[in-house]
C-alpha cells in the first residue's frame, strides 16, 4: 500500500505530464534534451564514482566522524571552564598589577591608550600562556569533579564506556589548546613582548641593557670582529677592528675609529666605517689602504652585540632557530638560554596532555568532601611542574645541563606520574 506522500508525488508528476501535452512541440524537444543529457551526466558520475572508489577511505580520516554527542558535551565543558578560569585569574592579576604600578604610571605620565593597548593588551596573553598548564589542570579537575559529583561519570561507565574512551574528548580538547598555546608562544607573544618591554622601559623605569664593552665574535668562518664600546640606542660603536684568517694566518686587518649600523638600508649587515685603515698581508709584503668613510657588509647585527634580560622571549620560533644556529657557528657561549626557550615552547604545549590525564584520573572517582581536595592536589602539582621547569632551565644555563633535556625533563617526570594515575583511574 502506497503512502500518502507517494500518492501526492505521483499526482504532481501526472499534472506536469498533462501540462506538457497541452504545450508546443519545441517545449517537448527542450525537456527531452534535458532528460537525455541528465541521464548522460548520471552515467558520467557513476563512472567517476566507480573509478574513484578509493576516495571512500577519506571518511575514516575525518576526525569529526569519531566525535559523538557525549564528546561534544565534555569538550564544551572543558574549553568553557578553561577560558573561564583564565578570565577569572587574569582579572585578579590585572587588579593587583594596576594597584602596584599606578604610582609609576602617574609619575612617568603614561597615557591611558599606551597602558591599555601597549601594556595590558600584551600582559594578558603573555601570562595566560605562561600559566596555561595550570589553567588546563584546574579546568579538568573542576568540571570532572562536578561530573563525578552529579554521578554522570558513573552513568557513562555503567553504560559500557571505558575510561580510555572517556579520555577521547579530553585529548581532542588538548589538541586544540596545545596548538593554540604553541602558536601564541611561537609567533604572537614575542611581538607583544617587545612592545611591553618598551613600555616598561619608558613608563616603569625598567632600564634595559643598551651598551656593550669589549665584544669579540666570529662573524664568518675565519673572520673575527671586535668592538671596544657599542651603544645600542645610537647603533654606534667605537674602536672597531676586523681580522681575516686563512689557514690560521692573518691575511687582513681592518680598523676604524667609529662604526655605525645602517638602520634604513634595504639589506641586513650594512655598516658604515669612519676613519678606516685596511692592512692586507701577502707574505712579507703589506698593502695599506685608508679612507674617511666606507660602506661595508659585515655579518653581525645589534642583537648580536648587546644582550638584555629576557631577550630570547622577543624572538619568534623561526627567528630563535636562526639566531641559535648563527651563534653556534660563531662559537658564542651565550646561546644556552635561547636553546632552552626554543625547546621549552614545544615541551610546554605538550604539558596539557600529561596534566589532563593526571587531573581526569584523580577527579573521575566520586568521593565525599567535594572538589576541595582535588583542587588542592591540582594546584600543588601544577606549581610543582612550573617550579620544575624553572629549576631545570637554571641547571641548563648555569650547570651545563643539556638544553633539550632540561626543557623536556618536567614532561618526562610528570608523564610517569600520569601513567600511574591512569592505572588507578576508575574503569
Amino acid at each position: 500500500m502506497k503512502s500518502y506522500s507517494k500518492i501526492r508525488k505521483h499526482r504532481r508528476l501526472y499534472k506536469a505530464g498533462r501540462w506538457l501535452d497541452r504545450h508546443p512541440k519545441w517545449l517537448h524537444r527542450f525537456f527531452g534534451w534535458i532528460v537525455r543529457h541528465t541521464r548522460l551526466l548520471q552515467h558520467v558520475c557513476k563512472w567517476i564514482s566507480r573509478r574513484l572508489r578509493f576516495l571512500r577511505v577519506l571518511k575514516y580520516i575525518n576526525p569529526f566522524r569519531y566525535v559523538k554527542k557525549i564528546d561534544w558535551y565534555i569538550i564544551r565543558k572543558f574549553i568553557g571552564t578553561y577560558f573561564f578560569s583564565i578570565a577569572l585569574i587574569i582579572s585578579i592579576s590585572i587588579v593587583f598589577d594596576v594597584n602596584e604600578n599606578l604610582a609609576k604610571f602617574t609619575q612617568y605620565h603614561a597615557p591611558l591608550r599606551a597602558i591599555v593597548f601597549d601594556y595590558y593588551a600584551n600582559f594578558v596573553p603573555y601570562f595566560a600562556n605562561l600559566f596555561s598548564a595550570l589553567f588546563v589542570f584546574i579546568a579538568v579537575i573542576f568540571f570532572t569533579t562536578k561530573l563525578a559529583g552529579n554521578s554522570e561519570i558513573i552513568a557513562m561507565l555503567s553504560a559500557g564506556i571505558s575510561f580510555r574512551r572517556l579520555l577521547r574528548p579530553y585529548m581532542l580538547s588538548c589538541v586544540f589548546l596545545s596548538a593554540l598555546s604553541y602558536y601564541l608562544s611561537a609567533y604572537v607573544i614575542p611581538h607583544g613582548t617587545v612592545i611591553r618591554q618598551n613600555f616598561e622601559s619608558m613608563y616603569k623605569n625598567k632600564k634595559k641593557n643598551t651598551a656593550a664593552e669589549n665584544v669579540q665574535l666570529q662573524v664568518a668562518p675565519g673572520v673575527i670582529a671586535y668592538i671596544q664600546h657599542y651603544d645600542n640606542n645610537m647603533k654606534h660603536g667605537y674602536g672597531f677592528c676586523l681580522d681575516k684568517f686563512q689557514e690560521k694566518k692573518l691575511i687582513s686587518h681592518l680598523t676604524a675609529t667609529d662604526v655605525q649600523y645602517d638602520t634604513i638600508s634595504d639589506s641586513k649587515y650594512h655598516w658604515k666605517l669612519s676613519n678606516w685603515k685596511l692592512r692586507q698581508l701577502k707574505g712579507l709584503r703589506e698593502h695599506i689602504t685608508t679612507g674617511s668613510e666606507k660602506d661595508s657588509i659585515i655579518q653581525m647585527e645589534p642583537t648580536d652585540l648587546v644582550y638584555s634580560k629576557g631577550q630570547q622571549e622577543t624572538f619568534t620560533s623561526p627567528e630563535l632557530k636562526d639566531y641559535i644556529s648563527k651563534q653556534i657557528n660563531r662559537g658564542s657561549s651565550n646561546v644556552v638560554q635561547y636553546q632552552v626557550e626554543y625547546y621549552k615552547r614545544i615541551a610546554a604545549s605538550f604539558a596539557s596532555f600529561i596534566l589532563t590525564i593526571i587531573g581526569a584520573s584523580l577527579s573521575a572517582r566520586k568521593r565525599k568532601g567535594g572538589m576541595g581536595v582535588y583542587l588542592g592536589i591540582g594546584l600543588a602539582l601544577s606549581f610543582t611542574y612550573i617550579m620544575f621547569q624553572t629549576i631545570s632551565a637554571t641547571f641548563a644555563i648555569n650547570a651545563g645541563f643539556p638544553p633539550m633535556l632540561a626543557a623536556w625533563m618536567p614532561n618526562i617526570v610528570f608523564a610517569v606520574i600520569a601513567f600511574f594515575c591512569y592505572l588507578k583511574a576508575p574503569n
Side-chain angles (χ1 to χ4, degrees):
M1 183 176 179
K2 293 184 177 180
S3 63
Y4 185 67
S5 61
K6 289 185 177 180
I7 294 174
R8 285 195 304 173
K9 180 179 178 180
H10 285 295
R11 182 176 178 275
R12 286 195 297 269
L13 292 174
Y14 175 74
K15 289 179 67 176
R18 291 287 301 271
W19 182 83
L20 287 175
D21 286 337
R22 291 194 297 267
H23 286 77
K25 292 183 179 179
W26 65 268
L27 199 59
H28 289 269
R29 289 197 296 270
F30 174 72
F31 280 103
W33 181 86
I34 291 177
V35 170
R36 286 194 301 274
H37 284 76
T38 303
R39 288 174 182 170
L40 179 63
L41 184 62
Q42 290 176 353
H43 289 308
V44 170
C45 292
K46 287 180 181 179
W47 181 84
I48 293 174
S49 65
R50 287 195 298 270
R51 293 295 182 273
L52 300 180
R53 191 172 297 174
F54 67 93
L55 292 178
R56 294 179 182 177
V57 73
L58 294 177
K59 68 179 182 180
Y60 298 103
I61 303 176
N62 181 17
F64 294 102
R65 184 174 184 268
Y66 304 98
V67 182
K68 308 301 181 184
K69 187 177 291 187
I70 191 171
D71 298 323
W72 285 117
Y73 174 72
I74 294 177
I75 288 171
R76 286 196 301 268
K77 290 276 189 181
F78 189 171
I79 296 179
T81 309
Y82 171 78
F83 284 108
F84 175 76
S85 61
I86 285 180
L88 182 64
I89 296 176
I90 292 297
S91 300
I92 298 172
S93 302
I94 289 175
V95 171
F96 281 102
D97 189 80
V98 169
N99 186 45
E100 181 181 354
N101 296 313
L102 187 60
K104 290 184 179 180
F105 292 158
T106 307
Q107 179 183 356
Y108 293 101
H109 306 288
L112 180 61
R113 181 181 180 84
I115 294 173
V116 175
F117 294 101
D118 292 348
Y119 183 66
Y120 284 110
N122 297 303
F123 171 90
V124 171
Y126 174 77
F127 282 97
N129 191 69
L130 182 64
F131 298 106
S132 177
L134 172 63
F135 296 138
V136 167
F137 205 17
I138 291 175
V140 169
I141 289 180
F142 185 82
F143 87 88
T144 306
T145 305
K146 194 171 182 181
L147 292 178
N150 295 334
S151 301
E152 294 179 69
I153 292 182
I154 295 175
M156 296 176 194
L157 298 176
S158 301
I161 299 176
S162 64
F163 185 73
R164 180 181 177 183
R165 170 63 181 84
L166 188 63
L167 285 178
R168 181 190 295 177
Y170 288 87
M171 296 297 103
L172 291 175
S173 303
C174 287
V175 170
F176 169 73
L177 296 178
S178 298
L180 178 64
S181 175
Y182 179 75
Y183 177 74
L184 288 175
S185 62
Y187 297 98
V188 178
I189 293 177
H191 297 295
T193 303
V194 175
I195 300 173
R196 182 172 55 85
Q197 288 182 354
N198 291 334
F199 176 90
E200 290 177 347
S201 64
M202 291 176 63
Y203 301 112
K204 292 181 67 177
N205 198 24
K206 283 193 174 183
K207 295 182 179 180
K208 296 171 64 177
N209 186 21
T210 59
E213 301 286 342
N214 299 321
V215 180
Q216 183 175 357
L217 71 158
Q218 179 176 317
V219 296
V223 182
I224 307 297
Y226 172 80
I227 297 180
Q228 184 177 358
H229 175 80
Y230 179 76
D231 184 3
N232 195 42
N233 289 331
M234 304 298 295
K235 301 293 187 291
H236 193 84
Y238 306 95
F240 174 77
C241 72
L242 187 71
D243 296 331
K244 292 184 180 180
F245 293 88
Q246 188 174 10
E247 296 180 357
K248 298 183 180 180
K249 293 183 179 180
L250 181 66
I251 60 173
S252 71
H253 177 70
L254 174 65
T255 59
T257 56
D258 301 307
V259 59
Q260 177 71 47
Y261 185 71
D262 192 354
T263 56
I264 61 174
S265 176
D266 294 333
S267 61
K268 296 194 301 183
Y269 314 127
H270 194 186
W271 295 83
K272 292 183 178 181
L273 309 180
S274 301
N275 300 322
W276 59 275
K277 180 179 179 181
L278 176 62
R279 298 171 58 193
Q280 292 178 320
L281 305 174
K282 297 180 180 179
L284 298 176
R285 294 183 179 182
E286 181 178 357
H287 181 69
I288 299 176
T289 309
T290 60
S292 58
E293 287 188 358
K294 180 180 181 179
D295 291 340
S296 181
I297 300 296
I298 305 172
Q299 293 185 1
M300 64 180 185
E301 294 181 276
T303 53
D304 301 329
L305 304 174
V306 178
Y307 171 75
S308 58
K309 186 178 179 181
Q311 182 178 346
Q312 67 273 13
E313 297 175 357
T314 62
F315 292 137
T316 62
S317 287
E319 293 172 348
L320 204 57
K321 187 176 181 180
D322 294 339
Y323 183 84
I324 290 169
S325 61
K326 186 169 62 175
Q327 293 299 102
I328 290 175
N329 292 333
R330 290 174 175 173
S332 175
S333 60
N334 187 25
V335 73
V336 178
Q337 56 264 39
Y338 295 91
Q339 291 177 318
V340 171
E341 177 67 21
Y342 179 78
Y343 293 121
K344 189 172 73 173
R345 291 176 182 179
I346 302 173
S349 61
F350 283 92
S352 302
F353 294 94
I354 299 170
L355 296 178
T356 296
I357 294 174
I358 296 175
S361 303
L362 289 175
S363 55
R365 195 182 301 274
K366 184 177 181 180
R367 290 190 178 94
K368 294 181 179 180
M371 66 180 70
V373 176
Y374 299 116
L375 281 176
I377 296 173
L379 287 172
L381 286 173
S382 299
F383 284 118
T384 304
Y385 178 84
I386 295 170
M387 185 181 67
F388 202 176
Q389 270 188 330
T390 306
I391 293 173
S392 60
T394 305
F395 274 120
I397 295 171
N398 298 325
F401 204 63
M404 187 174 182
L405 186 59
W408 281 92
M409 183 59 71
N411 285 359
I412 295 172
V413 173
F414 275 77
V416 176
I417 298 174
F419 176 73
F420 284 106
C421 291
Y422 176 77
L423 295 180
K424 298 294 182 180
N427 207 340

